[in-house]
Amino acid sequence: MSAQGGVLQAAGEAAAAIQTVSWVLIAGGTVIFAGVMFLLAWALRRRGGPVRPAVWVLGGGVLFPGVVLAALFAWSLPLSPAWKPAPPAGALVVGVTAHMWWWEVRYRDPSTGAEVFTANEIRIPTGRPVYLALASADVIHSFWIPQLAGKMDMLPGRIQHLLLSASQPGVYRGQCAEFCGEQHALMAVHVVAQEPAAFDLWLAAQARPAASPATPRQAAGRDAFLAQRCDACHSVRGVGADSRLGPDLTHLGGRMHLAAGTLPNTAQAREHWLAHVQMVKPGARMPSYDRLDTETLGALAEWLGALQ
Ligand code: CUA
């Protein structure tokens, strides 16, 4: 599954509207450009005779752009998501809060009503409108999944809304689209669209606490997590304290990437990330744990990967 699509490969209703507007503007702009070039060539070759400047200035410079721009505005107005401010019936509401430099994602467990936390990967069911409540914990970020919807700024102290949907299962890559500090470029987000039944199973699994260690090595990893006080920032539900300063790791093993799309979620990459955070993503709020021995790092990486 490719996750590199752009604005002109729309995979949902909101993005399809933007794609249509883009094509109309590209086609219309091309016709007008060709017309202007034709008139320019005609004017350069013309010899003598009146050209009636008032007709050209008023007609070509005022009337024509006035009519065309007003028509485009009226046509595109109903396509704008800003004119659909409330969640439609049956929409899935997902909270997304941007942090420097990762994404906190919140759902409601449909059976208990409890909040379910995850990070950097937003799973959605296909064919159902998804109403995102976007916020920021620090500076201005911008939420942008080109194949699914337009950009929406994420502002501190304010909640913005964005409606999107995916018509087909797939992975849709997004990127923070507002400069937000030194790791702005390493602030990717992935939307994973699944069939509704698969999504329901996934959400039910996310609502459960972390799996117990299945091997002595995994248990050693969990013990290192507690000994290093990783739980002062990261929540692994059922293990240690419940902190929300860093990404929730309760089901980290089921995600595709680490550190907001920065690394693939493999055992080797997890170990590398733990030891060299400040080399991979300088300025991130987590220190490098290069003082830990390789056995401890390996156990931590294995335990985190087992948190499916
Ligand atoms: Cu967050 Cu750029």
Side-chain angles (χ1 to χ4, degrees):
M1 270 186 288
S2 165
Q4 301 297 331
V7 174
L8 296 178
Q9 285 114 44
E13 206 182 323
I18 294 173
Q19 181 176 267
T20 305
V21 172
S22 301
W23 279 124
V24 166
L25 290 181
I26 290 168
T30 306
V31 169
I32 289 172
F33 178 78
V36 169
M37 287 303 111
F38 173 79
L39 285 174
L40 183 65
W42 173 75
L44 288 172
R45 293 175 61 84
R46 199 183 140 83
R47 294 275 177 269
V51 293
R52 290 187 294 167
V55 170
W56 285 105
V57 170
L58 285 179
V62 179
L63 195 65
F64 179 72
V67 169
V68 168
L69 292 176
L72 272 177
F73 180 66
W75 168 70
S76 65
L77 213 49
L79 298 174
S80 166
W83 291 80
K84 297 165 191 149
L92 172 75
V93 179
V94 183
V96 182
T97 301
H99 295 253
M100 291 159 87
W101 295 278
W102 60 280
W103 314 81
E104 180 186 304
V105 185
R106 296 184 311 281
Y107 296 82
R108 282 237 176 260
D109 181 348
S111 49
T112 65
E115 273 194 310
V116 177
F117 288 85
T118 177
N120 298 331
E121 199 175 286
I122 305 171
R123 298 238 185 170
I124 61 170
T126 52
R128 180 173 166 193
V130 178
Y131 192 70
L132 298 173
L134 303 172
S136 169
D138 35 54
V139 299
I140 301 176
H141 304 263
S142 184
F143 186 87
W144 190 32
I145 314 283
Q147 282 187 276
L148 297 182
K151 286 178 197 170
M152 183 61 77
D153 276 0
M154 304 170 85
L155 308 170
R158 208 173 137 167
I159 294 180
Q160 306 253 79
H161 295 106
L162 186 67
L163 189 62
L164 55 79
S165 62
S167 42
Q168 295 297 325
V171 180
Y172 305 103
R173 188 182 186 276
Q175 168 68 38
C176 179
E178 179 67 53
F179 182 72
C180 55
E182 62 186 310
Q183 294 307 332
H184 158 69
L186 295 186
M187 190 167 169
V189 56
H190 288 83
V191 171
V192 181
Q194 296 176 287
E195 300 288 352
F199 170 79
D200 291 343
L201 285 176
W202 173 84
L203 185 55
Q206 293 292 304
R208 290 195 276 273
S212 300
T215 65
R217 193 159 191 241
Q218 289 176 14
R222 180 202 54 197
D223 294 346
F225 176 85
L226 292 171
Q228 296 299 323
R229 293 308 321 270
C230 304
D231 62 336
C233 291
H234 295 285
S235 177
V236 174
R237 265 172 294 128
V239 180
D242 223 8
S243 174
R244 300 260 157 244
L245 288 176
D248 188 295
L249 304 178
T250 308
H251 299 286
L252 175 76
R255 295 184 208 149
M256 295 181 298
H257 299 94
L258 304 174
T262 306
L263 297 172
N265 191 4
T266 63
Q268 200 188 6
R270 284 190 297 274
E271 196 174 326
H272 181 71
W273 167 251
L274 288 167
H276 306 292
V277 172
Q278 293 302 322
M279 206 169 80
V280 177
K281 205 163 170 176
R285 300 298 187 252
M286 176 170 153
S288 295
Y289 282 86
D290 45 3
R291 62 195 155 80
L292 297 181
D293 59 79
T294 41
E295 180 46 43
T296 309
L297 285 168
L300 255 173
E302 187 171 319
W303 175 64
L304 289 168
L307 297 176
Q308 297 281 341

